[in-house]
Amino acid sequence: MLTSPSPEGSFTSRQSQDPRQKSDADPSTVPPAPPGNGRYMIMVISGLLALGLGIGAAALPVPYVIESAGPTFNTLGKDGDKPVISISGHEAFPAKGNLDLTTVVMTGGPKTPATIFDVFRAWLDSSKAIYPEELIYPKGTTAEQTVQQGEIDMETSQENAVAAALRQLDIPFEQRLDVAGLSDPSPSAGKIKEGDRLKTINGKAITSMAVVQAELAAGAGAPVAVGVERNGALVTETVTPTRNQADRYVLGVLLSSDFTFPFDVSISLDNVGGPSAGMMFALGIVDNLTPGDLTGGKHIAGTGTITADGNVGAIGGIAQKMIGARQHGATMFLAPAANCSDVVGHVPDGLQVVKVETLADATAAVERLGSGQDTAGLPTCTNN
């Protein structure tokens, strides 16, 4: 028996039983796409890309350096479990009180690059300073070079601090001045050579740079006879000094010092570099070698480079160092006279700033405060 196909109507009836099935031939049954759907997706994707690029750009280093107040270290105290200053081979007198060296934290440069977010936050904070990177680090300086130079400067400042302290206390030691190079131009060119050791000037033994400076000043530009040790022989050369920008007569030689001290003074301080702690190291050494307490138990802070002859030099970041000193309890701050223009207008409330040019000035100020005398008459920085 033949069977017939199902009627066309039955086929149509089966389609209509499933409402999810639509006829391709009837576009009116397909729901329309949301208006602007493609444009909306493009806007979302573009926004996300822009946000990502913005975050990435903000994380890139920018050529600025930010200075912030850093920690302070008491040169009469300890760094961890070690005394900052230790003396052996000579009687020492452990001192009380605080002679704090001050530091700044540097954000930016080859070691810790700054981002635009760092700079913006610093701009909103009056306690911080922002400088173009090239003012702080020479172009091309690497992180390794920065660390190495900081260590060299610290070591040199410590040696100079010992020499300055011993000279102030009239404790003899040996200092040798070797020629490390010549300035350009130099009145000593063709006469004094790199590697020479200065021995005499106008027949006087050179025991320190102060001897050379005093003889040049006394001569007021007149030729001087300079005796140097060269290859084991003593050679005498006649040099006519010239005036430098500081209006001092000079030989135009770059010198390095080598010391032999009669006893051992060791300084232990980790993770701090640079030359600016020299004066405070020297004060701490003076206090440790002097009976009694130089500070009288008072809290004093300061900063400044030091030469072997006891001259105090300018440093950077003094506004931030004064802030750090006050935050850690100091009531007196010893500032290099050469930094006075950076001091005026930036002194925190409750901090007396005393300007000093030499280690002797600094010692006298500390003694005056420590003995309970009136310190109002001590020199300070002014607008004049």
Side-chain angles (χ1 to χ4, degrees):
M1 179 176 65
L2 297 175
T3 59
S4 63
S6 300
E8 184 178 346
S10 64
F11 177 78
T12 304
S13 175
R14 286 196 298 271
Q15 267 194 322
S16 63
Q17 289 174 0
D18 188 351
R20 291 172 298 177
Q21 296 179 357
K22 303 296 180 182
S23 170
D24 292 338
D26 187 5
S28 63
T29 61
V30 180
N37 184 55
R39 190 184 310 162
Y40 173 77
M41 290 303 298
I42 291 173
M43 291 175 62
V44 170
I45 294 171
S46 298
L48 291 174
L49 286 174
L51 179 62
L53 289 173
I55 294 174
L60 292 174
V62 292
Y64 292 95
V65 173
I66 303 164
E67 288 184 344
S68 310
T72 62
F73 300 89
N74 183 12
T75 60
L76 303 179
K78 293 184 176 182
D79 179 29
D81 59 351
K82 295 181 180 179
V84 174
I85 297 173
S86 300
I87 296 173
S88 58
H90 190 281
E91 186 176 12
F93 306 90
K96 298 178 181 178
N98 281 67
L99 287 173
D100 289 356
L101 65 88
T102 50
T103 67
V104 292
V105 174
M106 309 285 281
T107 304
K111 287 179 61 180
T112 53
T115 68
I116 192 65
F117 285 141
D118 296 326
V119 174
F120 181 70
R121 284 195 296 266
W123 182 70
L124 296 175
D125 189 342
S126 61
S127 70
K128 298 180 180 181
I130 306 170
Y131 300 98
E133 184 177 330
E134 63 268 19
L135 291 183
I136 308 297
Y137 300 102
K139 190 174 181 180
T141 301
T142 65
E144 292 76 13
Q145 289 171 332
T146 301
V147 172
Q148 184 180 36
Q149 187 60 53
E151 292 174 348
I152 292 172
D153 289 343
M154 173 61 82
E155 183 179 350
T156 301
S157 75
Q158 292 176 359
E159 289 185 340
N160 285 343
V162 177
L166 268 56
R167 181 166 279 120
Q168 179 161 302
L169 296 173
D170 293 324
I171 299 174
F173 62 92
E174 183 181 355
Q175 180 182 12
R176 296 170 294 280
L177 296 174
D178 296 330
V179 178
L182 301 179
S183 61
D184 185 22
S186 171
S188 296
K191 299 177 180 180
I192 297 178
K193 301 179 180 180
E194 183 176 346
D196 286 351
R197 175 165 291 174
L198 300 188
K199 300 295 288 186
T200 62
I201 182 167
N202 287 342
K204 297 180 180 179
I206 297 176
T207 56
S208 72
M209 192 60 206
V211 174
V212 178
Q213 293 170 338
E215 196 64 21
L216 294 177
V224 293
V226 182
V228 301
E229 182 181 318
R230 182 183 300 158
N231 299 324
L234 185 62
V235 178
T236 301
E237 300 284 1
T238 300
V239 180
T240 301
T242 57
R243 284 186 176 182
N244 63 8
Q245 293 181 342
D247 202 29
R248 292 182 179 179
Y249 288 101
V250 295
L251 297 175
V253 295
L254 308 176
L255 299 174
S256 64
S257 293
D258 186 22
F259 303 97
T260 300
F261 300 120
F263 51 88
D264 182 62
V265 180
S266 62
I267 298 176
S268 173
L269 192 62
D270 293 332
N271 301 319
V272 178
S276 65
M279 180 186 69
M280 298 310 293
F281 283 142
L283 276 174
I285 295 167
V286 168
D287 203 350
N288 272 275
L289 291 172
T290 305
D293 294 322
L294 194 66
T295 67
K298 303 295 195 305
H299 198 144
I300 301 163
T303 187
T305 64
I306 196 78
T307 68
D309 296 317
N311 294 314
V312 176
I315 51 79
I318 195 164
Q320 287 67 47
K321 290 179 178 181
M322 290 189 296
I323 291 172
R326 188 69 189 106
Q327 287 176 343
H328 289 90
T331 57
M332 176 181 282
F333 188 90
L334 306 172
N339 277 119
C340 272
S341 61
D342 302 314
V343 169
V344 175
H346 298 97
V347 180
D349 292 339
L351 190 67
Q352 179 185 7
V353 175
V354 179
K355 72 172 181 179
V356 297
E357 296 187 47
T358 65
L359 177 59
D361 293 342
T363 304
V366 173
E367 286 179 326
R368 192 162 178 173
L369 180 66
S371 62
Q373 299 179 59
D374 183 14
T375 61
L378 291 172
T380 190
C381 293
T382 65
N383 286 315
N384 298 329

